[in-house]
Amino acid sequence: MSVSIEKVIAREVFDSRDNPTVEVNAFLSDGTKSKSEVPSGASTGEKEAVELRDGGSRLGGKGVLKAVNNVNTEINDALKGKSPYNQGKIDKIMIDLDGTPNKARLGANAILGVSMAVARAAAMSKKESLYRYLGGCNLELPQTYHNVINGGEHADNGIDIQEFMITPIKKTSFRDGFEKIVNTYHALKSVIEEAGFTTGLGDEGGFAPDLKSSEEALKMLQKGITKAGYKPDEDVAIAFDAAASSFFNPDDNKYHFEGHIWDGKQMLDYYDKLLQEFPEIISVEDPFAENDWSNFEKFNARFGNKIQVVADDNVCTNPKLVRKAIKNKLCNSILIKLNQIGTVSETLETISLAKKNI
């Protein structure tokens, strides 16, 4: 007996930031039921697929009842009776139904919710793990990066770099590396307290002390790693996400960064200074604004043979933009987020493209 999609049903729920988001249930003809909730970032790039929000006064305009209704009507009607086992076809039906280049009519949050729910239902129906259903078992546990100090859009302090992370370098196992991070996290908390700052948390769960500069944050990370009994750059390393679009001013084409107004060259020289002063930094994400490809390329040319240069806001998990980034040698790695592109199949295409160009 062939299995088909009986219906997809959405509702408005709340995410970890207490913002409305879309939850979707997918029902198959063999009795399988799955559920998905759509993630959303606090800082988003202008090239991302469009989240459909209601506007108006309810929930600060962030309600998603329009997106929910689009799932329950148009998308449900279009997918009813279709096989759940061809993810690319399911996603293309919704992309064509939407009819816009950025999923703005139906909402990327509506489309992604259904895309994820159907993928999960298909895997469950075949009695397979989701990762096996989507990509087989040629996988390994990742190098983890742990967000421990917040700034920029994620905290109300004087730091303009958005996220500072730590990652285990020397480890005998995944667990051993994770324990090093846990020990460093607690040591960092005591370092912050001893310096006279509070240890309240920012939007991404990292500490958000009221520091005045990114250098202060990096020095605290050095102290935290050392206090935990580890060597920076040998046992535990540092990474950061500058999220430079958040401090780039398009009116004067300058970076308004922690009391300075810098052009691209001055910003590049600042990063050079940081990387020399803090050799334990092994990864930098979005060092320049999402449309400042020229300076982003210069950053990769200067530092790409030494550190991981991560593109996020300027490629947005979009295969077309990733192809352009590869051609222009913009970066040597990319961030993957389902909500940036809006479907499971397009995300998998982007991952495959990145792997082929390592």
Side-chain angles (χ1 to χ4, degrees):
M1 182 181 70
S2 62
V3 177
S4 62
I5 298 172
E6 279 196 344
K7 60 183 176 180
V8 290
I9 299 176
R11 63 178 61 86
E12 182 182 72
V13 296
F14 294 88
D15 66 17
S16 60
R17 294 187 179 92
D18 288 329
N19 288 325
T21 192
V22 178
E23 178 184 275
V24 176
N25 283 289
F27 299 83
L28 305 186
S29 59
D30 65 354
T32 301
K33 175 186 174 183
S34 70
K35 183 177 70 173
S36 70
E37 294 90 15
V38 178
S40 178
S43 59
T44 56
E46 65 181 41
K47 298 180 180 69
E48 290 189 22
V50 176
E51 281 185 326
L52 184 61
R53 300 283 180 177
D54 297 339
S57 58
R58 191 183 74 93
L59 296 172
K62 293 183 178 182
V64 292
L65 294 181
K66 291 178 181 178
V68 165
N69 183 65
N70 288 338
V71 173
N72 294 339
T73 55
E74 288 189 62
I75 294 176
N76 178 61
D77 292 344
L79 296 185
K80 192 179 299 183
K82 300 294 190 297
S83 169
Y85 301 131
N86 188 329
Q87 190 67 41
K89 186 175 181 180
I90 292 296
D91 292 342
K92 188 174 187 306
I93 288 171
M94 293 189 287
I95 290 168
D96 291 345
L97 182 66
D98 174 84
T100 69
N102 55 4
K103 303 176 179 70
R105 190 181 75 81
L106 295 175
N109 42 351
I111 293 171
L112 179 58
V114 174
S115 182
M116 292 193 299
V118 170
R120 288 179 176 178
M124 292 168 65
S125 176
K126 287 183 172 290
K127 296 180 171 53
E128 293 182 0
S129 299
L130 180 61
Y131 75 90
R132 283 185 179 271
Y133 174 74
L134 291 178
C137 58
N138 185 24
L139 301 169
E140 62 184 36
L141 287 171
Q143 175 73 24
T144 55
Y145 288 78
H146 304 257
N147 188 350
V148 292
I149 294 182
N150 290 176
E153 295 290 310
H154 288 168
D156 185 18
N157 57 22
I159 310 171
D160 281 339
I161 286 179
Q162 185 167 276
E163 297 175 0
F164 294 87
M165 295 161 273
I166 51 176
T167 183
I169 299 300
K170 184 188 291 184
K171 55 186 184 292
T172 58
S173 64
F174 184 90
R175 181 180 178 87
D176 176 61
F178 196 86
E179 286 185 6
K180 283 181 168 64
I181 295 303
V182 170
N183 291 333
T184 303
Y185 177 82
H186 289 296
L188 175 63
K189 182 178 181 181
S190 66
V191 167
I192 293 171
E193 289 172 337
E194 288 166 6
F197 296 100
T198 62
T199 52
L201 302 182
D203 194 52
E204 289 287 324
F207 297 118
D210 191 18
L211 306 177
K212 302 306 178 188
S213 72
S214 293
E215 287 95 331
E216 281 189 71
L218 289 165
K219 287 175 182 176
M220 280 193 166
L221 285 174
Q222 281 182 328
K223 289 179 181 178
I225 294 168
T226 302
K227 186 167 186 174
Y230 307 123
K231 293 181 180 179
D233 196 30
E234 186 175 321
D235 297 307
V236 177
I238 296 172
F240 67 79
D241 173 12
S245 292
S246 65
F247 53 81
F248 177 74
N249 188 334
D251 293 333
D252 60 8
N253 225 31
K254 298 287 179 65
Y255 290 89
H256 292 238
F257 181 82
E258 296 178 2
H260 304 281
I261 299 177
W262 286 335
D263 60 21
K265 182 182 182 305
Q266 290 169 308
M267 200 72 219
L268 189 65
D269 289 342
Y270 170 76
Y271 290 132
D272 196 349
K273 175 178 174 292
L274 282 188
L275 292 171
Q276 289 187 47
E277 186 176 349
F278 302 96
E280 55 271 43
I281 297 172
I282 64 167
S283 179
V284 174
E285 179 185 336
D286 284 349
F288 289 94
E290 60 193 284
N291 293 315
D292 191 359
W293 281 54
S294 175
N295 282 306
F296 211 120
E297 290 167 19
K298 291 175 184 175
F299 183 93
N300 188 48
R302 186 182 295 191
F303 306 115
N305 63 336
K306 302 174 184 176
I307 66 169
Q308 181 173 263
V309 180
V310 187
D312 176 19
D313 288 346
N314 40 13
V315 294
C316 291
T317 317
N318 186 317
K320 293 179 181 177
L321 293 173
V322 171
R323 288 188 183 93
K324 180 183 175 184
I326 292 167
K327 181 180 178 182
N328 290 14
K329 297 181 179 179
L330 180 79
C331 56
N332 58 25
S333 59
I334 60 170
L335 208 64
I336 298 294
K337 297 178 185 175
L338 285 152
N339 57 296
Q340 289 184 324
I341 189 63
T343 66
V344 171
S345 59
E346 288 169 295
T347 302
L348 294 175
E349 180 185 351
T350 302
I351 292 171
S352 177
L353 179 62
K355 284 184 174 180
K356 287 177 182 177
N357 288 276
I358 290 176

